[in-house]
Amino acid sequence: MGMQADHAQDRAIADDIALRLEKLTELSVALSATRDIPHLLDSILRAAKGITHADGGTLYGVTPDGRHLSFDIYLNDTLEIYQGGKSGRATDIAPIPLFHEDGTPNVDAVAAYAANTRKSVNVADVYHAGQFNFSGMRRFDEQFNYHSQSFLTVSMQDHDGELVGVLQLVNARDPVTGELRPFSETDQRFIEALASQAAMAITNQQLIVRLETLFESLIKLINIGIDEKSAHTGRHCEHVPELAMLLADAAHAVQEGPLASFSMTEPERRELWTAGLLHDCGKIATPVHVVEKATKLETIFDRVHMIDTRFEVLKRDAEIRMLRARLALGAGADAAQLEALEQTFREETAALESDRAAVRKANIGGERMSPELQEHIARISLRQWSGPDGSSQPLLNADEVTNLQVRAGTLNEEERQIINNHISLTIKMLEALPWPKHLRNVPEFAGGHHERMDGMGYPKGLRGDQMSIQARVMAIADIFEALTANDRPYRSANTLSEALQILGGFRQRNHIDPDLFDVFVRSKVYLPYAQRFMRPAQIDEVDESKIPGYTP
């Protein structure tokens, strides 16, 4: 009978070890599968409790300054206490100092001892252990009418030996009788193995978080660089991802029609957001005088003032001619002759002022320059004036005429090519990065915001069916932000209704995705964006029935 009992006990022990190994394996799989750190910590502590049949446990983290142990999770089955972790209830226990005021390591508190020495502590009965200060535990027992007895405390450290945390279990119970018992040597070995795995898992997740934080900081660094070059472009980089997410979320919510099958997971949303932040990163290499060109004649300064000076010279010359003519008439000139000279002078001066006003008007960029004004600039360019060396020169040189006759905006063709090149550089920069799997589409999303549905966009000339929905979302967000921005140096901001009118024109000309445009208007994506980023004076009444290309 004794031999059979021994065999039964051996089998029970073997079964228990097999069960613990299975739980340890399950935990290993779980630890590698989650990126949620609170969930990760919960899993670690619950697995440790289950393996050792402990009644309670605490998982301590290390504070950012490395000088305290914080109570990240606290569990106790008997007292039905669950704080920290996924519970949503913060722990109400003060952190344990790892060092005394004089800088020496704290080895009085058992958790601090394990943390500082990296040694496991297995106490059979805390009320009969004199090495450590258990006064806090005793106060806890008195407050909650609880009896703490066995303690197992194990440090968690990463591959470099850096402290990650401390795992502490209390009151091991016999799995059959439920009686309190000490933590066995087997318990300790299993928890040490678990603590090692847990430390690696926590370290990996913290590393991922740190890398993501570093990555986001690098994105901000790029945008700071662009912002320092052009405050206008910098805000564009911030606003476009906001608008892109509003439109993408609205498309995600569509239940019928061409976009009914479109959906985005949380990682895909993050991917689009990242693309939005980086969509203009190539502008970091665009010359400032092109990005900030507020008027057509602006380079380092606005050259319209040089032309103003030439007009003043022409007016001076007209006055000199008139005065010389008066002198030539002599004292015998009659009133009619003098009046004729004055009249000619007034007409010349008026014509010059008219031409100067035309130059000033043409110098201001707009949505479209009239052919009449372009022709007027061409006629003005035929005027001659005497330069500082006395030679006769065109009033407007070829470069000035080219710039003043720009039909839309302020950029001439060469400058527009420089600006357009920013998207090629953006793609080149982004494709050079070793993107992780969940961000691999960032270059395509970011690089497609100047492509058009009709294939006439740039830099690749892609048609709509060759672009992802996210890239098409980016195109609309980029256009609408630019139309409503109140900080552009080259034009005043459009009102909300004006911007929607212009955006509707883009839809009619097959520049943007018609289905996304429909969602943009029908779901009123424009409204929350306007309320957040547009000036109140810009937000006027919108009559959607008058928006081109939209059917209410």
Side-chain angles (χ1 to χ4, degrees), residues 398-468:
D399 180 72
E400 291 164 346
V401 173
T402 297
N403 280 277
L404 287 171
Q405 289 186 321
V406 167
R407 284 180 291 181
T410 62
L411 302 178
N412 60 40
E413 188 58 33
E414 181 182 354
E415 291 164 339
R416 194 165 294 282
Q417 288 301 319
I418 292 173
I419 283 286
N420 289 355
N421 185 60
H422 85 273
I423 191 63
S424 297
L425 183 57
T426 292
I427 295 172
K428 184 178 180 180
M429 290 170 64
L430 296 181
E431 288 183 343
L433 295 175
W435 294 98
K437 182 178 179 181
H438 67 287
L439 294 174
R440 66 179 180 272
N441 293 312
V442 165
E444 191 260 328
F445 295 169
H449 69 277
H450 282 301
E451 301 291 354
R452 288 171 27 175
M453 297 296 289
D454 59 6
M456 300 300 291
Y458 64 90
K460 297 181 179 180
L462 301 176
R463 298 186 310 276
D465 58 359
Q466 296 173 305
M467 293 186 287
S468 64

Side-chain angles (χ1 to χ4, degrees), residues 189-200:
R189 296 302 180 206
F190 268 102
I191 295 306
E192 287 172 344
L194 183 150
S196 178
Q197 287 185 323
M200 292 300 177

Side-chain angles (χ1 to χ4, degrees), residues 134-154:
F134 285 108
S135 58
M137 178 274 299
R138 293 189 178 97
R139 286 194 300 272
F140 178 88
D141 284 359
E142 291 174 5
Q143 180 181 353
F144 291 97
N145 193 27
Y146 188 70
H147 178 71
S148 301
Q149 183 169 309
S150 54
F151 263 69
L152 176 60
T153 308
V154 178

